Amino acid sequence: MKYTDLSIQTQREAPNNARTQGFAFLVRAGYVTRENQPTTLGEQALKHLEKLSTTLEDSFFSALDIPVIRNEGETFFPLKTGALEVIHCPACGYTARSEIARFAKSASPAEEALPTERVATPECHTIEDLANFLDIPKEKTAKALLFTRPFDGKFVFAMVRGDMQLSEAKLKGQVGEVKPATPEEIAASGAVAGYASPIGLKDALIIVDDLIPNSPNLVAGANETGYHLKNVNYGRDYSAEIVVDLVQAEAGSACVNCGKLLSAVSADLLASKGVYHFDKILHALAESHYDDKGLTLPHPAAPFDVYLMHVPGKTMDTKSPAAELYESLQKAGIAVLFDDRDERAGVKFNDADLIGSPVRVTVGERGLQNNSVEVKERTSQENQAILQADIVSRVTQILFAPKTGTT
Ligand SMILES: [Zn+2]
């Protein structure tokens, strides 16, 4: 395609809303607007990726050479501006959205169940306050979370160990949609907010994390303002309708597969159950491939394999030979972006670097006098003078050369 047909608009400066280098270059190269809307050039890139995904199928992401993390259903790209939080095991590759990620829990040491004891705990509104006040570790406390299930009005009492966070996604996976209980709903069940306990509730659906039955002698609420119960034991003092994994995995939790430490990373979702998000994939490509001058898109990810340009001559027509090359490269199945503007060489070189096609071909007066044109790989400093007759084979050779090194 031709530069003028695509109405490409490159920018000198990075937009001030750019939070990542890759996005800044996507805007500067004219693939997307500052508002992240694809331009005509961007549409070409997206269409190209779409086609590539159908042709390459399973090897699509490896061909793009982007460092994805994935599980059976979903493919993510770690990025600090990513919309999702993903738990990932660097050791074995386990990957899941943080709200549903599993991890290996370690049960508290076994203890004899001690008699329950009511203790005054004034002004202890949080687990932190409570643990400090009683001078016990947070894992010796129980955290109550109170919900109502709108579907049938059922009061849902969820409990996890005090050192852990409830995953609402996991809770909803078990009991369906819930919303925080109102003070009236809490009072009706017999619980007291801030001092809630599952002991002696009326008409409540009690659901506890699977660590709770293995955590003896916990401190839980006494259902009385200002009081807690020490030595509350599952089975003896109360039981639950559902015992299941309810808590959120975190960075530093142990991997459920291999036991190594998990990481938490921000990420974008690139594909889910065979549905690709090509805008995110284009963004991931840009974040993975750039240098200080612009994008350095690899073949076959780049929408155009070759950035072809002519340097307007003083005594010779350089545009017609460039147009001929354009035809012959395209006939050979090479995707070419022909910069057909009568601009200075410097302007075009800058744009070529920004747009990031793997190969640049420059048709200039001096070369033409020897029947040659200049070929430069985007990621190399070296300019090669190649005979016009050899250009298709040289470009093909570069594009399909086995990759050396890693990025
Ligand atoms: Zn692992």
Side-chain angles (χ1 to χ4, degrees):
M1 299 196 75
K2 293 180 180 170
Y3 194 100
T4 46
D5 292 338
L6 290 168
S7 332
I8 296 171
Q9 292 283 339
T10 58
Q11 317 278 337
R12 239 171 220 289
E13 305 286 336
N16 50 21
N17 67 335
R19 288 166 63 204
T20 61
Q21 201 58 262
F23 178 74
F25 278 131
L26 274 183
V27 176
R28 288 189 58 199
Y31 286 95
V32 298
T33 66
R34 292 168 45 103
E35 292 74 33
N36 201 15
Q37 292 305 308
T39 59
T40 322
L41 175 63
E43 296 288 0
Q44 287 301 318
L46 295 174
K47 246 191 277 174
H48 173 73
L49 290 171
E50 197 174 339
K51 201 168 132 199
L52 209 58
S53 71
T54 355
T55 340
L56 298 178
E57 293 177 1
D58 289 346
S59 58
F60 177 52
F61 285 112
S62 55
L64 302 186
D65 196 12
I66 52 183
V68 294
I69 54 178
R70 62 206 306 188
N71 55 39
E72 247 173 45
E74 295 179 309
T75 304
F76 304 94
F77 176 69
L79 182 64
K80 65 178 182 185
T81 57
L84 303 172
E85 195 185 75
V86 172
I87 294 290
H88 177 67
C89 176
C92 76
Y94 173 76
T95 299
R97 294 181 186 231
S98 68
E99 65 270 25
I100 55 164
R102 292 175 301 127
F103 65 101
K105 298 173 182 172
S106 41
S108 312
E111 281 174 23
E112 193 88 1
L114 300 173
T116 309
E117 191 186 327
R118 178 171 167 273
V119 286
T121 51
E123 304 302 320
C124 288
H125 298 293
T126 65
I127 289 291
E128 216 87 57
D129 296 340
L130 181 66
N132 286 337
F133 182 79
L134 295 176
D135 195 23
I136 52 170
K138 286 199 279 182
E139 55 262 37
K140 293 301 283 179
T141 68
K143 191 190 284 181
L145 299 115
L146 315 177
F147 299 91
T148 301
R149 182 162 64 185
F151 148 71
D152 58 359
K154 189 85 183 165
F155 182 70
V156 177
F157 186 102
M159 197 160 86
V160 302
R161 229 170 53 178
D163 57 326
M164 304 207 164
Q165 299 297 328
L166 174 80
S167 158
E168 279 199 31
K170 289 181 180 176
L171 176 68
K172 289 174 181 174
Q174 294 295 324
V175 302
E177 198 54 42
V178 290
K179 62 178 185 54
T182 63
E184 294 74 27
E185 288 161 344
I186 294 170
S189 75
V192 173
Y195 301 89
S197 147
I199 302 172
L201 295 185
K202 291 190 294 271
D203 293 330
L205 169 59
I206 299 173
I207 172 168
V208 302
D209 181 59
D210 52 9
L211 254 191
I212 291 288
N214 299 319
S215 303
N217 300 322
L218 294 180
V219 172
N223 284 335
E224 186 182 347
T225 303
Y227 289 90
H228 277 84
L229 294 176
K230 276 170 129 175
N231 305 325
V232 169
N233 285 279
Y234 182 88
R236 181 190 71 182
D237 302 319
Y238 70 100
S239 59
E241 277 78 5
I242 307 173
V243 178
V244 74
D245 171 37
L246 277 187
V247 295
Q248 188 108 21
E250 284 168 359
S253 300
C255 175
V256 69
N257 289 341
C258 75
K260 298 273 169 41
L261 295 191
L262 294 169
S263 323
V265 292
S266 297
D268 273 332
L269 180 66
L270 302 188
S272 173
K273 298 188 178 73
V275 177
Y276 293 98
H277 303 290
F278 293 105
D279 54 337
K280 300 285 190 205
I281 295 171
L282 179 61
H283 190 183
L285 253 186
E287 297 296 348
S288 309
H289 302 285
Y290 65 80
D291 61 15
D292 56 346
K293 291 179 174 159
L295 299 173
T296 56
L297 302 178
H299 173 78
F304 297 104
D305 303 320
V306 171
Y307 191 99
L308 169 67
M309 53 175 272
H310 67 289
V311 178
K314 295 195 175 76
T315 58
M316 278 171 89
D317 168 29
T318 54
K319 195 169 183 172
S320 314
E324 278 168 35
L325 266 186
Y326 177 56
E327 297 301 329
S328 45
L329 285 165
Q330 292 207 118
K331 257 187 218 135
I334 295 164
V336 186
L337 176 58
F338 178 21
D339 187 346
D340 54 339
R341 299 170 300 167
D342 293 321
E343 280 282 3
R344 289 187 293 118
V347 172
K348 294 184 167 188
F349 287 149
N350 279 339
D351 284 359
D353 282 342
L354 279 172
I355 290 168
S357 298
V359 181
R360 187 183 78 198
V361 175
T362 309
V363 181
E365 220 163 27
R366 212 162 358 136
L368 284 179
Q369 283 157 3
N370 304 310
N371 296 320
S372 74
V373 296
E374 244 177 38
V375 171
K376 182 184 164 298
E377 290 179 53
R378 175 62 184 82
T379 51
S380 145
Q381 298 304 319
E382 188 200 349
N383 269 311
Q384 310 164 15
I386 304 292
L387 285 175
Q388 278 166 284
D390 297 339
I391 196 74
V392 169
S393 65
R394 181 67 194 123
V395 167
T396 311
Q397 201 179 19
I398 293 173
L399 292 178
F400 291 95
K403 299 256 185 319
T404 52
T406 51
T407 48

